Amino acid sequence: MSASAALTFNNVSRRFQVDNKKITALEDISVAVPAGKITGLLGPDAAGKTTLMRLAAGLLLPDTGGIHALGIDVVKSPIDAQSTAGYMPQRFGLYEDLSVQENLDLYADLQGLPLEQRESRYLELMHMTGLGPFSHRLAGQLSGGMKQKLGLACTLVGMPRLLLLDEPTVGMTPDEMMAMIEVVRKAHERFKLAIFLIEHRMKVVMELCERIQTLVFGEVIAEGTPEEIQNNPKVIDAYLGKEIVV
């Protein structure tokens, strides 16, 4: 693995058995996420994005290929990988009958954040997400956009160096989406994180990412800067008629 890469996939493939048929979710994928950068993976539904993210988080294992995250061999040591990277799935597992503050406390316990570091970390995250005035509100009473922001705060509470975001703007209105983009940008700037972001909305990856891979039917069809991706004929053809631009 390159010393400058926080996360690498090397010739990764993954298949699933469905009704006695083998379905290829990912085929020979190689992707590198540089340390301290935001890298995006753009793709429509059923492209294989979430499968790739779960592989990165050590929740699935590949059929072939290698994955390394922060120097850890994810295939050999998935538990170690899970304890060092922050993973936010599409619908983060908030406890809706607990308050914002209680959710933060719970995830701080789960992630082993020392007690003496919690107050300053909480203040920073609440300021960043704009959730400070709502610390005593039940999570179940938050709007969809605020729940996603709380999910991100809970993911970041343990101070990961690698952040894995699986469609963080899912279900959001355009205004909520732009607010979430700004929060992710602030988190990147403040904590110097490597971020691997997967999305079906082109607007999100164009706003946030320096490099973008485009995944269609389990294969990377294009890679480049936002401008290169937006003007790539393969990407235009792949998404023709699909609502990926918000």
Side-chain angles (χ1 to χ4, degrees), residues 137-156:
R137 183 174 295 185
L138 294 180
Q141 296 176 351
L142 299 174
S143 68
M146 292 170 74
K147 286 179 181 178
Q148 288 294 87
K149 289 180 182 179
L150 178 56
L152 179 59
C154 290
T155 304
L156 289 171

Side-chain angles (χ1 to χ4, degrees), residues 49-174:
K49 302 188 305 298
T50 294
T51 297
L52 192 67
M53 187 62 75
R54 289 174 178 168
L55 288 167
L59 301 176
L60 291 175
L61 295 178
D63 294 320
T64 60
I67 306 167
H68 288 81
L70 301 173
I72 297 169
D73 187 324
V74 178
V75 178
K76 292 181 179 179
S77 305
I79 302 301
D80 291 341
Q82 292 166 26
S83 66
T84 56
Y87 171 49
M88 180 178 166
Q90 288 184 25
R91 294 295 184 184
F92 189 81
L94 296 174
Y95 290 83
E96 298 206 345
D97 57 342
L98 298 181
S99 69
V100 169
Q101 183 62 60
E102 288 168 336
N103 270 277
L104 285 173
D105 289 336
L106 175 61
Y107 279 95
D109 288 341
L110 292 173
Q111 296 174 35
L113 184 67
L115 290 174
E116 63 273 14
Q117 297 180 23
R118 295 189 184 192
E119 183 177 0
S120 61
R121 187 67 169 180
Y122 292 165
L123 286 172
E124 195 164 29
L125 293 172
M126 290 297 92
H127 177 71
M128 181 181 299
T129 57
L131 290 173
F134 309 100
S135 61
H136 298 297
R137 183 174 295 185
L138 294 180
Q141 296 176 351
L142 299 174
S143 68
M146 292 170 74
K147 286 179 181 178
Q148 288 294 87
K149 289 180 182 179
L150 178 56
L152 179 59
C154 290
T155 304
L156 289 171
V157 77
M159 304 183 182
R161 290 185 291 125
L162 171 64
L163 180 61
L164 307 172
L165 299 178
D166 186 349
E167 301 210 40
T169 67
V170 65
M172 288 186 176
T173 66

